[in-house]
Amino acid sequence: MKQTFITWLLFLCAALLSAGTDPQFLLVKDGKAAAAFCAEKPLSPGMRKNIDDFNSALKKVTGTPLPVITETGNSALNRIELVTEKKASSSTEDQFLFEFPNSRTMRIRGTERAVWYGLRTILIRHAGINYLWRDHDDTWIHYPEKSTVSLPRKDDSYTPSLPHMRLIWGLMRGCKRHSWFKGDERMMHNFPTQIFPVSKYAPDKWPEAIMPVINGKKMKLTDSCPKGDPRRHRAFSQWNPCYSAPETVAEAVANIEELLKKEPDLKILGLFPNDNTPQCTCEKCRAVLKTGNKYNSIGIEHYSDLYYRWANAVAEQICRNHPDLILVTGTYLQMTDPPSFKLHKNLLPLICFETWSALRDETVGAKRDKMLKEWRSKTSFFGMHDYHFGLQMCGLPRFYLEDTAAYYRKLYRMGLRAADPEMGAYSSLEGPKERFEDELFWNINVDAKKFLQKWCDDAVGEEAGKDLYEFYDFWQKYWMREELKESSWYLSVNNIYMGIGDQTCVRALNNGELKKLDDLLNRARRKVRTPAQKRRIEIICKEFAIVRDLMTLYFAEPLPCSGILKNREQALAVLDNVIPAQDALERLKKVKRLDLYGGKKYQNTFYAALSTLHPFAHDPVVRERMKKMMAEPKLLPAIRNMFGIMLGEPGHQNLLKYGSCEDRNGFPGTKLKVNTTLSDKVFSEGKGSVKLAVNRLAEFEDVPIQAGKVYYFSMKYRLEGDRRDGRLLLQLIPFNDDHQKNYEWREYILPGARPGKWFRYEVAFAAPAPDHRIFGKPSNALHIRVLSRQFQTPVYVDDMKLICLDSVK
């Protein structure tokens, strides 16, 4: 009984003592500083910047910064101690701790960068600041008004969910300090920057032993990298080493050791193969390839055993002296599937595929899951090189936050510890997309819905935030629509990433939806209160006006997702939108960075959409409407001529002399190129056609074109067997015949025709403008390819035409 009484007495005393202790650590009270940074020794430049940036932001919220004092300074204020320490591993270098050694002292412990993350956490979670989007001024930073700021007096540790890498590739540089991102270019396709540096070997000092054998010959590089962006230059990226040569291991190890002497604190480095380049085909490399599967799960030669044998050897030697160094590898193209053996424990593979395809297609999702499990059995952890291309590639805001978060949590449970998705150039119209992924990679359990709601409320105020939330939630639901599966864009669902530049995905929009979205933004515009909120909504509205013009130009609402008009009414709806589309075209020509909104090839998408009218040109009502429009003075000459061709008017010249596909004299060797034969048994008219090899690329003779002109291409094709999952791709590639690096791809997925029937395909396109150059001169020629992919029976092509719409009389 006595012992129980003493226990209760002690408990009561402890309760009374704790009742007198404020559970909150005050930073600012009633607009006055209640704490100070304690600097007992001179601050480093980095730590001084941390404090200055923190104080600058805190002052905008409370009106006061926190002073910096010495040990003999104002003892009436709470103390904040910033303690920096080095970390040996990339898994802990961004970790920071909040410690409270006594009631008057707070300590933030970590690396210099991690200390900033700690200060940033205080600004976000306790001062209420929201870094809505990275920007060079305060437009996209939300500063609430507060007179008091405090945080719980509780020891805590903060560690990012993805500690090794948190990065989005393709963002414009600037204000990374506002983000949780971590990473640099040394983790990407970097053979020529760090592992086999151009600065050391170019132009003519490349070790012969490490060079690959391509087409039976040792590659020789004698090029220097040009100024500017060299990444598409031959010496920089258009090669991969011979992985079977012992010298390739030795050279890589020596170069990495040299780098680590200069940067001893380096904790992570890339061993990525170069992007989209040929692999070595020497006898030793081929011998390794023959021992396993010849092709991987995406139908490309399986090089993983060869590449990872080399990567393991490099890691084994490097990590003897640098046991904490992480070497990042990429599982792109030839390395998509795992090797037959385990990876060195310091190798971190980045798995390459777009999560959207796994989310939307059950079959693809099952394949991805199988591949991930196979990778997980070969490595101790992994990362994701995802693809989140949105507005720049598709022309519409593209994100689905809850689905993305759920998928990444699933990957995290499997061992995900790094991510660096490609997003492309980024516009503020996509709003919370970048900041959400920034937050997700730091905290894998972030609540997506709450995040979006808070983002909208902080951006434009709670009243207008409801309308802005509805606007962005529309786009989340849009990308889950079943209609998208009818688009040619969806046919790339089995690829590593969805079709870049294929904007048929915009056609899932229904009539009137763009206006409803515009109304939502205008409603929010009327409800904003502060100057900052007004600036933000005006930017969003201005950018959406550009997108609306693009969608008008693309006939996004009247055209079905398939791109095939189904009836007269749809054809007439397209014709009704021609003049509004022309007006949109004139406005878009004045937009400076149209490529940020998916408009890089806007004229081609416009002309391609108009090309869908041809099957209805013989309908009497549609035909009469076309004739009436041709008399309209405002109609562009190229469109007037296109309608004339559709209506069968004479006076146009076929620039393809071999277009009949039957004149034997028209194909003297170079006219008809690879993987094709002439057929006199199957033809649509005349005497013959061209027969394409099964599942092969056919190339036709290049034809001269003029930069900036509009052209009309048409051809007939016929499938002999069941189309099933087969695809027929048409590639029209303007280039310069004197300097062939000016390739401007236009790829069209042709609709499947009924077997045994001829189907005509027409498409108009604009050749690149005279001032459009890529490492060379303006385009002056057109390369024509037709690819029969996955068909198991022949495909025939006939009656090919190329007409300059600016030259029709």
Side-chain angles (χ1 to χ4, degrees), residues 343-507:
L343 273 59
H344 188 280
K345 63 182 181 65
N346 290 57
L347 290 182
L348 171 65
L350 291 182
I351 315 298
C352 298
F353 67 82
E354 184 166 341
T355 57
W356 187 88
S357 58
L359 290 168
R360 293 299 290 123
D361 190 289
E362 290 184 5
T363 302
V364 173
K367 289 179 181 178
R368 302 293 192 238
D369 285 349
K370 181 176 181 293
M371 183 179 72
L372 285 165
K373 289 176 182 177
E374 290 173 351
W375 269 108
R376 187 65 183 89
S377 68
K378 305 297 183 183
T379 183
S380 52
F381 46 36
F382 66 91
M384 271 296 295
H385 186 86
D386 204 343
Y387 299 87
H388 295 173
F389 294 126
L391 194 65
Q392 185 194 17
M393 299 298 181
C394 302
L396 294 176
R398 182 179 174 219
F399 56 83
Y400 17 88
L401 305 186
E402 290 188 62
D403 296 281
T404 299
Y407 197 81
Y408 270 75
R409 280 193 282 273
K410 169 184 168 182
L411 297 179
Y412 182 78
R413 292 191 293 270
M414 297 177 69
L416 180 75
R417 294 300 180 268
D420 68 331
E422 290 187 46
M423 184 181 286
Y426 187 77
S427 163
S428 57
L429 180 59
E430 286 193 277
K433 179 177 177 178
E434 173 203 334
R435 276 291 296 118
F436 176 74
E437 296 193 356
D438 180 20
E439 189 75 27
L440 175 67
F441 297 165
W442 184 274
N443 174 18
I444 204 72
N445 293 311
V446 62
D447 187 307
K449 186 174 183 179
K450 288 181 179 178
F451 178 93
L452 180 56
Q453 287 174 333
K454 187 176 189 307
W455 192 96
C456 293
D457 289 349
D458 287 348
V460 295
E462 290 187 15
E463 189 178 0
K466 295 180 177 63
D467 299 312
L468 190 59
Y469 178 88
E470 189 175 343
F471 173 84
Y472 281 124
D473 194 47
F474 171 88
W475 296 115
Q476 294 196 106
K477 294 171 182 174
Y478 176 87
W479 292 102
M480 296 298 147
R481 287 184 173 179
E482 285 297 306
E483 299 96 305
L484 287 170
K485 294 184 177 181
E486 299 175 13
S487 68
S488 65
W489 178 77
Y490 190 79
L491 292 176
S492 58
V493 72
N494 286 289
N495 295 1
I496 291 175
Y497 47 78
M498 300 299 297
I500 293 177
D502 185 335
Q503 292 166 331
T504 60
C505 55
V506 306
R507 295 176 184 158

Side-chain angles (χ1 to χ4, degrees), residues 108-378:
I108 305 177
R109 184 189 299 276
T111 63
E112 200 167 86
R113 182 173 65 189
V115 166
W116 166 247
Y117 287 155
L119 293 171
R120 183 178 183 274
T121 297
I122 294 173
L123 293 173
I124 293 173
R125 298 188 182 181
H126 306 293
I129 294 175
N130 195 341
Y131 297 103
L132 300 164
W133 185 53
R134 106 216 101 63
D135 202 348
H136 293 288
D137 56 33
D138 285 347
T139 298
W140 291 97
I141 304 177
H142 165 66
Y143 297 105
E145 292 183 4
K146 286 191 171 189
S147 60
T148 298
V149 174
S150 65
L151 69 157
R153 186 185 282 107
K154 178 185 177 183
D155 290 0
D156 212 342
S157 174
Y158 298 80
T159 304
S161 298
L162 307 185
H164 297 293
M165 187 189 305
R166 303 178 303 279
L167 194 61
I168 296 177
W169 286 97
L171 295 180
M172 292 179 291
R173 298 183 183 277
C175 294
K176 281 191 175 182
R177 201 163 169 77
H178 292 164
S179 74
W180 300 108
F181 292 139
K182 170 190 177 182
D184 60 44
E185 292 193 3
R186 288 179 298 189
M187 301 180 195
M188 287 301 293
H189 303 293
N190 65 322
F191 275 160
T193 58
Q194 305 293 336
I195 311 304
F196 305 111
V198 166
S199 59
K200 178 178 179 179
Y201 299 117
D204 55 4
K205 298 184 181 66
W206 299 94
E208 182 179 353
I210 76 170
M211 301 309 293
V213 172
I214 306 297
N215 296 325
K217 296 181 180 179
K218 270 278 187 182
M219 177 180 280
K220 291 185 177 180
L221 289 175
T222 58
D223 300 348
S224 295
C225 280
K227 294 181 179 179
D229 183 359
R231 284 174 289 182
R232 297 186 185 278
H233 195 265
R234 186 166 178 257
F236 188 92
S237 63
Q238 295 180 22
W239 65 285
N240 272 303
C242 172
Y243 295 119
S244 64
E247 292 87 347
T248 307
V249 175
E251 200 73 17
V253 169
N255 289 333
I256 294 172
E257 288 286 5
E258 185 177 345
L259 175 64
L260 291 172
K261 286 181 181 178
K262 298 176 183 177
E263 300 184 54
D265 294 331
L266 194 65
K267 297 176 177 61
I268 188 165
L269 184 65
L271 284 183
F272 285 80
N274 286 330
D275 195 358
N276 285 302
T277 52
Q279 302 290 341
C280 181
T281 57
C282 73
E283 291 185 6
K284 288 185 177 180
C285 286
R286 283 293 181 192
V288 175
L289 296 178
K290 290 177 182 178
T291 60
N293 296 327
K294 186 175 181 180
Y295 297 101
N296 62 23
S297 59
I298 61 171
I300 297 176
E301 280 193 302
H302 181 58
Y303 266 73
S304 290
D305 275 19
L306 182 62
Y307 166 71
Y308 276 104
R309 186 177 67 175
W310 170 81
N312 270 355
V314 172
E316 181 65 34
Q317 293 190 41
I318 288 293
C319 295
R320 289 173 189 165
N321 299 323
H322 310 277
D324 296 309
L325 181 69
I326 300 297
L327 296 168
V328 187
T329 66
T331 72
Y332 190 57
L333 294 179
Q334 296 94 340
M335 290 77 173
T336 293
D337 295 346
S340 58
F341 46 82
K342 284 187 175 292
L343 273 59
H344 188 280
K345 63 182 181 65
N346 290 57
L347 290 182
L348 171 65
L350 291 182
I351 315 298
C352 298
F353 67 82
E354 184 166 341
T355 57
W356 187 88
S357 58
L359 290 168
R360 293 299 290 123
D361 190 289
E362 290 184 5
T363 302
V364 173
K367 289 179 181 178
R368 302 293 192 238
D369 285 349
K370 181 176 181 293
M371 183 179 72
L372 285 165
K373 289 176 182 177
E374 290 173 351
W375 269 108
R376 187 65 183 89
S377 68
K378 305 297 183 183

